[in-house]
Amino acid sequence: MCGIIGYIGKSEAAPILLEGLRRLEYRGYDSAGLAILNGTLSVRKCKGRIANLTDLIGREPIHGDVGISHTRWATHGGVTDENAHPHFDESGKLALVHNGVIENYQTLKEQLLSEGHHFKSQTDTEVLAHLIGKHFEALGGEASGPRLVEAVRAALKEVTGTYGIAVMHEAVPETLVGARRGSPLVLGIGKGENFLASDVSAIVGHAREAVYLRDYDVVTLGRDDFEITTLDGGVSGFKVSKVEFSEDDVNKGAFPHFMLKEIFEQPESLQNAIRGRLSVEESTAKLGGLNMTPQQLRDIERIVLTGCGTACHAAMVGEYVIETLAHVPTEVEFASEFRYRNMPMNKDTVVFAISQSGETADTLAALRESQRKGHRTLGICNNVASTIARESDGGVYMHAGPEIGVAATKSFTSQVAVLTLLGLLLGRIRHLSTSDGIRIMEEMKAIPEKVREILKQNDRIKEIAHKYAYAKAMMFLGRQFNYPVAMEGALKMKEISYLHAEGHPSAELKHGVIALISPEVPSVFIAPDDSVYDKNISNIEEVKARKGPVIAIGTEGSSKLEKVADDVIYIPRCPDYLSPLLTVIPLQLFAYHLAVKLGCDVDKPRNLAKSVTVE
Ligand code: G6P
């Protein structure tokens, strides 16, 4: 969702900004633009891909060493060139890019209109640009960095809603100003140059150090220095962090798409999720970041897991795993429902907010609501500098590395791995024996290698995906631990191939889903050799009897599937509770290859955003 990058330094700004925008593409966008200062402000913006903007700049070059740029994901106002950012104030001398939503923009706009302002777009952002410009004029005196910062502060105090912004003014060419509330913004520190970005990936390779700004921070950037203050003008305590990622982490390397690269990274990302967290001595998991004593962990009576999209599916797997390993009642709720639902929760309920980005607006709101009610609220995040990671009372990092493909893949398996560690930890302080603990740990340690085995079948999975590319719709069916995997398999297929896909518990087939079965509607059964294997086989027979093609995910050596399904993809044997970590891999590859076959842009699917930072 909307991406910002700003630059002030000694190099040409346009190539740096365009490269940064390309790296932010994964967040999801529908238009892009930039403004560069070189005596006067010049702007280039258009709807569509960054390639369109690059072409525009090729035709109408733009030079200068200070600039701001933006990828827009429309919320207020349609997808048009006029609505693309940057936006200008009434004087045309101040430019602004914005991520977030100005909730009271209508009221502010009416006021500004009555004062004689003219607007060119339908966006809430343009209103903010005018408001800052108005304050800049009203402050009077010499045009200077402090005056611009003062104007930004004054305007933001009138605003309700969320923002991450970058601002510049023709009269103050040595200064960029940034501010945030609710939308991420990072300051990148270079040599003789500084950056602002929504996401550190945009400035990897340029900035070695970064400051992850906090809500209500206002930052002033010069070429050689920066200053971070609060919205009230006070001193902001901030921390300079090393930029940990390399350019390899944010590039596709030899892979045609980020999604495929990330699917193939899963042996390592899973290894990283469990590394250092299995204690042989105590035969249990160690999750120090939870900040809870063994007694506090024992006192947990109920767990609520919340998240959105794929994170919610991982939570659903977590519900089965935690209840199986630890016997702690566990419930899953979409974060968007949780935040408005008044769930009765006793005092020993612990809430986990699960989010790869750590910035999803609904998940953040669910976390805050849970904390408001006095519950210990922990995070399971990938982005260590994220708002959810910062605001939670503790948690577990996924350590999956940057996930750029919009369709979440490695973050799902990392989330499931972390929830399994949690199940093991809670189980061991309840009823699991030392030998149970050792057995579970050994099985977990074997998972990365088993994922590697599945990935070796990539070519075969591609062939199968191509065979079913004719499908009009697709059903994904599974039971128990693999019911959430069916949901996730369907979500992957919808997101990147735009094929109608539904995920259901296999047994629900007879209660409606079966009406949709036909030769044009294949079913994917997730049917490993587990406690419900035979039940799944019966469900497959029911589909076959209605001429529905069946692709099955089964366990090596389980021959019954061959007899009933049209195609079978095998996973290595593992305990039931770990099977989602394996069964999901062929489904990710299946969706990927089918989408590529259909000519879809898998890394940037239509209408989707990687990080949904508005409600
Ligand atoms: C968006 C993404 C999904 C993701 C969901 C939650 O919808 O497109 O892939 O699962 O947000 O994201 P989070 O960062 O909170 O895990």
Side-chain angles (χ1 to χ4, degrees):
M1 204 148 264
C2 302
I4 289 175
I5 164 150
Y7 175 76
I8 180 161
K10 291 170 184 139
S11 303
E12 277 290 335
I16 294 173
L17 296 178
L18 283 170
E19 184 196 3
L21 289 181
R22 257 178 243 117
R23 295 210 196 141
L24 294 177
E25 274 190 306
Y26 76 95
R27 296 168 67 88
Y29 71 103
D30 43 50
S31 10
L34 54 74
I36 287 185
L37 189 51
N38 192 359
T40 54
L41 275 175
S42 310
V43 67
R44 303 285 182 272
K45 57 182 187 174
C46 56
K47 63 182 179 188
R49 294 296 191 200
I50 296 192
N52 302 1
L53 180 66
T54 310
D55 287 350
L56 177 63
I57 292 170
R59 290 194 304 276
E60 299 170 24
I62 178 167
H63 298 287
D65 52 17
V66 186
I68 55 176
S69 61
H70 188 261
T71 46
R72 172 173 190 250
W73 193 88
T75 55
H76 293 66
V79 180
T80 62
D81 291 350
E82 295 72 41
N83 286 339
H85 300 208
H87 288 287
F88 290 82
D89 73 336
E90 185 66 19
S91 73
K93 291 180 178 166
L94 178 145
L96 167 82
V97 290
H98 165 226
N99 175 9
V101 174
I102 306 299
E103 285 164 9
N104 59 339
Y105 86 103
Q106 282 292 11
T107 322
L108 293 168
K109 190 170 184 174
E110 276 158 30
Q111 175 65 31
L112 289 162
L113 281 169
S114 73
E115 291 167 12
H117 286 246
H118 305 82
F119 291 92
K120 297 192 174 83
S121 77
Q122 291 80 51
T123 63
D124 50 339
T125 302
E126 193 184 9
V127 175
L128 181 56
H130 278 244
L131 194 61
I132 299 175
K134 175 182 140 178
H135 282 287
F136 187 80
E137 298 303 324
L139 282 165
E142 200 189 328
S144 64
R147 180 171 147 197
L148 182 57
V149 177
E150 219 26 70
V152 169
R153 280 204 189 98
L156 293 179
K157 282 183 190 157
E158 289 184 45
V159 152
T160 55
T162 53
Y163 53 81
I165 56 167
V167 190
M168 60 184 191
H169 197 293
E170 229 173 71
V172 193
E174 302 298 317
T175 307
L176 270 190
V177 180
R180 72 156 273 178
R181 178 178 177 267
S183 298
L185 197 62
V186 184
L187 162 71
I189 307 165
K191 269 204 169 147
E193 53 185 9
N194 287 313
F195 305 80
L196 274 176
S198 300
D199 185 323
V200 76
S201 63
I203 50 176
V204 166
H206 294 290
R208 291 256 176 91
E209 291 180 320
V211 177
Y212 297 93
L213 299 171
R214 294 181 303 188
D215 278 351
Y216 303 107
D217 276 349
V218 178
V219 57
T220 315
L221 293 76
R223 286 182 175 78
D224 296 304
D225 50 13
F226 65 87
E227 189 187 13
I228 302 176
T229 52
T230 64
L231 194 55
D232 292 325
V235 182
S236 168
F238 63 87
K239 196 175 131 220
V240 177
S241 316
K242 281 229 147 36
V243 174
E244 282 175 4
F245 305 137
S246 69
E247 289 195 68
D248 282 352
D249 288 321
V250 294
N251 288 326
K252 288 194 285 252
F255 288 92
H257 296 98
F258 280 108
M259 182 179 177
L260 191 62
K261 175 179 180 239
E262 287 155 11
I263 292 173
F264 271 82
E265 279 171 355
Q266 287 175 107
E268 286 80 36
S269 54
L270 277 164
Q271 191 69 58
N272 291 341
I274 58 178
R275 177 172 293 123
R277 290 173 168 163
L278 292 174
S279 157
V280 180
E281 232 164 61
E282 297 170 50
S283 62
T284 188
K286 282 169 89 166
L287 300 173
L290 296 178
N291 299 332
M292 291 175 79
T293 63
Q295 191 52 50
Q296 286 171 325
L297 288 167
R298 232 183 323 265
D299 287 343
I300 296 176
E301 284 196 353
R302 185 169 167 229
I303 292 174
V304 175
L305 306 173
T306 189
C308 300
T310 289
C312 199
H313 294 156
M316 288 165 69
V317 176
E319 177 180 359
Y320 282 94
V321 175
I322 294 168
E323 291 193 345
T324 301
L325 296 183
H327 297 174
V328 177
T330 305
E331 240 175 294
V332 176
E333 185 60 277
F334 286 115
S336 53
E337 289 296 310
F338 180 95
R339 63 181 294 189
Y340 294 115
R341 184 178 162 189
N342 203 4
M343 235 178 172
M345 300 203 291
N346 64 14
K347 75 172 180 36
D348 294 318
T349 301
V350 169
V351 177
F352 281 86
I354 306 172
S355 172
Q356 186 282 129
S357 63
E359 300 290 350
T360 300
D362 282 322
T363 313
L364 178 59
L367 170 126
R368 289 177 175 160
E369 175 61 13
S370 163
Q371 286 180 328
R372 226 171 271 133
K373 297 233 168 81
H375 294 289
R376 188 186 292 272
T377 310
L378 302 154
I380 297 177
C381 294
N382 193 29
N383 182 354
V384 294
S386 62
T387 313
I388 293 179
R390 235 185 354 246
E391 291 195 12
S392 52
D393 302 315
V396 190
Y397 288 122
M398 291 151 55
H399 297 313
E403 188 178 69
I404 310 268
V406 168
T409 51
K410 61 177 177 171
S411 63
F412 174 82
T413 43
S414 296
Q415 285 157 354
V416 171
V418 166
L419 289 164
T420 309
L421 291 171
L422 182 66
L424 169 61
L425 171 67
L426 296 177
R428 279 285 290 130
I429 52 173
R430 287 176 167 77
H431 65 103
L432 291 177
S433 67
T434 312
S435 52
D436 289 335
I438 290 173
R439 192 175 32 80
I440 295 167
M441 281 168 47
E442 290 308 317
E443 292 288 1
M444 282 196 80
K445 282 190 211 157
I447 289 292
E449 197 44 47
K450 292 182 181 177
V451 170
R452 216 166 261 127
E453 287 304 308
I454 300 170
L455 292 170
K456 286 184 190 156
Q457 301 179 60
N458 182 37
D459 288 342
R460 199 168 154 261
I461 296 170
K462 180 174 172 180
E463 269 172 39
I464 298 175
H466 288 189
K467 177 175 164 190
Y468 292 95
Y470 70 87
K472 285 214 169 80
M474 230 176 245
M475 298 297 141
F476 288 77
L477 300 148
R479 286 170 175 258
Q480 298 289 299
F481 295 97
N482 284 294
Y483 155 49
V485 177
M487 303 280 293
E488 178 59 10
L491 181 62
K492 287 306 88 150
M493 191 57 86
K494 289 185 260 219
E495 284 180 312
I496 58 170
S497 75
Y498 317 138
L499 198 70
H500 177 118
E502 295 183 14
H504 296 282
S506 315
E508 280 296 300
L509 195 67
K510 291 192 281 291
H511 304 289
V513 184
I514 205 159
L516 301 171
I517 299 299
S518 79
E520 286 80 43
V521 182
S523 297
V524 180
F525 272 88
I526 301 113
D529 195 353
D530 57 11
S531 61
V532 285
Y533 177 55
D534 286 324
K535 306 282 174 198
N536 267 319
I537 298 269
S538 306
N539 296 133
I540 294 175
E541 305 262 21
E542 286 157 8
V543 169
K544 289 305 297 173
R546 273 116 193 134
K547 302 201 167 34
V550 170
I551 305 119
I553 314 294
T555 308
E556 270 163 10
S558 51
S559 54
K560 277 192 221 163
L561 275 180
E562 300 265 339
K563 298 193 184 93
V564 287
D566 297 276
D567 288 285
V568 187
I569 303 166
Y570 288 109
I571 59 155
R573 191 163 290 279
C574 72
D576 295 10
Y577 58 87
L578 291 179
S579 62
L581 291 169
L582 302 185
T583 52
V584 76
I585 311 284
L587 299 187
Q588 294 168 345
L589 286 169
F590 184 60
Y592 169 79
H593 288 301
L594 202 141
V596 171
K597 174 81 179 164
L598 293 179
C600 301
D601 191 350
V602 289
D603 279 339
K604 299 181 280 288
R606 69 184 183 206
N607 303 341
L608 296 182
K610 177 75 181 158
S611 178
V612 179
T613 50
V614 295
E615 195 180 337

